[in-house]
Amino acid sequence: MSLKNNKYLKPFKNIFLLILVLFAVWMFFFDANSWLIHHELNTEIEDLENEKEYYKKEIEKDKADLEKLSTEDGLEKFAREEYYMKRDNEEIYIIEYEDSLKTEDNE
């Protein structure tokens, strides 16, 4: 079977089809604005938008915590819980459970 009569190469004898295929391959893979680059950029945009939403939620949580700390009662509660502060006429007892204590077995 010769190359002239090969049924698989027959469509590529048409110069317009050959140019169209070459153009499509060039635009899909090799061009600066190729589909592959656009796909990477779209993925990066989605990741950045998800990150943006996460940080917006964190900002809202921080604003709520800041509002709690802006009141005197909230500030006092925070100081008592985190730094074990007390008033002059009070005593504080810290209760530690056996499983929260550091021993040689669970270090």
Side-chain angles (χ1 to χ4, degrees):
M1 189 189 240
S2 69
L3 288 177
K4 273 189 170 185
N5 296 332
N6 192 342
K7 65 180 178 179
Y8 297 113
L9 294 178
K10 191 173 185 179
F12 293 105
K13 289 182 183 178
N14 185 346
I15 189 73
F16 296 111
L17 182 62
L18 184 62
I19 290 173
L20 180 66
V21 168
L22 290 174
F23 177 75
V25 167
W26 179 264
M27 292 304 289
F28 194 72
F29 293 108
F30 301 116
D31 192 50
N33 297 317
S34 70
W35 178 83
L36 297 173
I37 291 174
H38 278 282
H39 181 68
E40 289 176 16
L41 292 175
N42 287 338
T43 305
E44 188 176 344
I45 287 171
E46 287 178 17
D47 292 342
L48 290 172
E49 286 176 351
N50 291 337
E51 194 174 325
K52 179 180 168 184
E53 289 300 317
Y54 168 76
Y55 284 124
K56 280 185 179 181
K57 289 177 186 175
E58 288 296 315
I59 287 171
E60 291 300 318
K61 282 186 359 186
D62 289 344
K63 282 183 182 178
D65 290 343
L66 190 59
E67 279 192 28
K68 288 179 188 175
L69 290 175
S70 65
T71 64
E72 195 167 317
D73 292 335
L75 189 60
E76 181 179 347
K77 181 180 177 185
F78 178 78
R80 287 173 174 267
E81 290 176 358
E82 295 296 321
Y83 297 108
Y84 306 116
M85 293 185 163
K86 65 180 185 81
R87 293 190 180 132
D88 290 335
N89 58 356
E90 290 182 333
E91 288 189 28
I92 294 180
Y93 297 99
I94 300 173
I95 300 172
E96 292 184 356
Y97 294 100
E98 191 173 316
D99 59 347
S100 66
L101 295 175
K102 287 193 175 187
T103 61
E104 292 178 9
D105 296 339
N106 65 2
E107 283 184 6

